[in-house]
Amino acid sequence: MTERYTVVSADCHAGADLLDYKPYLEKKYHDDFDAWAATYINPYEDLLADTADRNWNSERRVSELEADGIVAEVLFPNTIPPFFPSASLVAPAPPREEYEQRWAGLRAHNRWLADFCAAAPGRRAGVAQILLGDVEEAVREIRRTKEAGLTGGILLPGTPPGSGLPELYSQTYDPIWAVCDELGVPVNHHGGSASPPLGEEPAARAVFMVETTWFSHRALWHLIFGGAFRRHPELKLVLTEQGSGWIPGVLDMLDYYHARLVAAATKAVTAESKFGAGLAASMGRGPSEVWRDNCFVGASFMRPHEVPLRERIGLDKIMWGSDYPHDEGTTPYSREGLRIAYAGLPQSEVAAMAGGNAARVYGFDLGLLDPIAAEVGPTVEEIAEPLAEIPADATSPAFARGGSVRVW
């Protein structure tokens, strides 16, 4: 029998068509929704194209993913929920007066997502959405979505400069970490969700591309230095679609500052000793230890120059993703994306990074998925063969030339 990999994409996106969110809203918001939707102009070309239904067409989605060798997926948001100006993944924190409607919109998305996941039992782990401006409401929604069957955890919004929200290291958010620890709910922080608005100058988009992953990385050191993992030792943090090559260097840097500040705090009163005061007691273990025990990376279309760092990152930490249905995703060349990254690696390592780690973190049942993969998954021999030619119409950064460029 031909051996095949069970591929789980740890980074896919989905959402309802705009008007299809209405049945999932509480009725008291229906009139407001009708008024909002009547004048709303969608700013995203891909959500207006004839391929937009890949976000919500369950049968098409299963068919295209299986054709690409993928049998299960973690679902982040993509379309625009009610009362949002843009996709909620990149929408800034709302003004105070809009919180009630925005919460209603996110709850509608979460309800829709639960039904969408149920349409492909055991093959979709939906990531629930919350807002950080009302911690009690966030805790209620985390409990509700867990009970509703969403197994992908929560999407942690960013707190970029100017958001008006407490920084992620603040103990204001402790009830969120506590309920996620209690229920085994992963906390996901996706690239692009933590950048401040940059205006409309011509350079703004280029600056966004350079800085956006760094702003997403910040969640790691905020939660570590803030002591979230000391107070909640089973808390799981997943950093998705923000590269993976940066992790070893950043952990070295965080370990350095941790050791330096803790040491300084034990000495005579100096300017630096004040920076370390209380740090060891508040955060507990060092950053590398926290990474080892609590953190994971949704590496998405992992690029070849990142792969040699896999042992330093942690072979049990890396989760490949296709980023379906985005243009920068690997579809319909996910097999080639796996080959360009993982050809020549031991089979056990490929199996872990391509699906086994994601199954463990998000609770997928491999007993259910393996028989499907036996029919549609990429073969071990196929992935072992180095990719000789990049598909001419491939659009994913996985196939970008100049692979020695560092991914931050």
Side-chain angles (χ1 to χ4, degrees):
M1 182 177 180
T2 302
E3 286 189 277
R4 296 178 183 267
Y5 288 114
T6 299
V7 180
V8 177
S9 173
D11 179 27
C12 288
H13 296 262
D17 198 1
L18 189 70
L19 298 180
D20 289 341
Y21 275 124
K22 183 176 178 178
Y24 293 94
L25 277 169
E26 295 100 319
K27 287 185 178 180
K28 66 178 181 179
Y29 296 108
H30 283 192
D31 289 345
D32 290 342
F33 174 80
D34 289 341
W36 171 78
T39 59
Y40 186 79
I41 299 175
N42 195 316
Y44 299 109
E45 292 182 5
D46 63 317
L47 295 180
L48 299 172
D50 58 5
T51 55
D53 74 321
R54 292 185 296 177
N55 285 283
W56 57 79
N57 185 327
S58 185
E59 292 183 1
R60 176 177 184 173
R61 191 176 188 105
V62 168
S63 176
E64 291 189 359
L65 288 173
E66 286 189 354
D68 217 21
I70 297 167
V71 297
E73 55 178 336
V74 179
L75 292 177
F76 289 89
N78 197 44
T79 63
I80 298 153
F83 309 119
F84 275 72
S86 61
S88 50
L89 184 66
V90 296
R96 196 71 228 169
E97 62 272 15
E98 296 181 20
Y99 252 89
E100 181 182 344
Q101 285 190 337
R102 295 283 185 90
W103 260 117
L106 291 191
R107 287 193 297 268
H109 172 82
N110 293 340
R111 294 185 188 105
W112 174 88
L113 185 59
D115 281 355
F116 190 68
C117 290
R123 301 182 67 176
R124 293 173 179 156
V127 179
Q129 296 191 77
I130 61 169
L131 291 172
L132 294 178
D134 186 336
V135 170
E136 291 183 1
E137 179 65 16
V139 170
R140 284 193 292 269
E141 187 64 4
I142 292 166
R143 291 191 180 279
R144 191 195 67 76
T145 54
K146 175 73 173 181
E147 292 174 1
L150 293 184
T151 58
I154 64 165
L155 177 61
L156 176 65
T159 57
S163 69
L165 293 169
E167 297 283 4
L168 289 177
Y169 55 70
S170 171
Q171 291 194 35
T172 299
Y173 305 120
D174 236 38
I176 294 175
W177 316 142
V179 72
C180 289
D181 184 344
E182 173 196 342
L183 300 178
V185 170
V187 175
N188 304 277
H189 196 54
H190 194 283
S193 63
S195 298
L198 294 173
E200 302 299 327
E201 293 292 326
R205 289 191 178 184
V207 172
F208 174 85
M209 290 295 290
V210 170
E211 296 181 345
T212 186
T213 52
W214 181 85
F215 276 107
S216 298
H217 300 345
R218 292 173 78 223
L220 176 63
W221 51 84
H222 278 232
L223 268 66
I224 288 176
F225 285 116
F229 300 103
R230 180 188 65 79
R231 296 186 298 276
H232 311 289
E234 300 302 317
L235 185 66
K236 290 188 289 190
L237 175 66
V238 182
L239 303 172
T240 297
E241 202 181 331
Q242 42 189 286
S244 60
W246 58 276
I247 293 168
V250 165
L251 289 176
D252 287 346
M253 177 191 70
L254 297 180
D255 283 340
Y256 164 75
Y257 279 112
H258 173 251
R260 175 178 165 181
L261 292 172
V262 169
T266 65
K267 298 177 181 177
V269 176
T270 64
E272 186 157 292
S273 71
K274 296 178 182 178
F275 282 94
L279 181 64
S282 67
M283 71 173 287
R285 296 165 293 150
S288 286
E289 295 176 88
V290 171
W291 177 266
R292 180 196 66 204
D293 295 338
N294 300 88
C295 303
F296 304 86
V297 57
S300 303
F301 32 79
M302 200 171 184
R303 295 174 64 187
H305 67 279
E306 297 174 288
V307 177
L309 298 170
R310 65 193 183 280
E311 291 186 355
R312 293 183 62 194
I313 296 167
L315 281 165
D316 60 338
K317 303 294 180 185
I318 298 168
M319 301 181 290
W320 180 89
S322 70
D323 200 29
Y324 178 95
H326 288 167
D327 289 342
E328 65 267 27
T330 53
T331 303
Y333 300 113
S334 291
R335 289 178 172 83
E336 289 79 2
L338 288 163
R339 286 173 63 192
I340 200 171
Y342 298 150
L345 298 187
Q347 181 178 340
S348 60
E349 295 185 8
V350 178
M353 294 186 288
N357 292 337
R360 175 168 45 86
V361 171
Y362 294 105
F364 287 104
D365 181 1
L366 291 177
L368 170 70
L369 299 181
D370 287 346
I372 304 172
E375 300 293 330
V376 304
T379 67
V380 171
E381 292 77 9
E382 178 185 9
I383 302 304
E385 182 70 24
L387 187 66
E389 184 176 351
I390 294 173
D393 57 343
T395 56
S396 172
F399 304 110
R401 291 167 175 82
S404 62
V405 177
R406 181 176 179 180
V407 173
W408 297 90

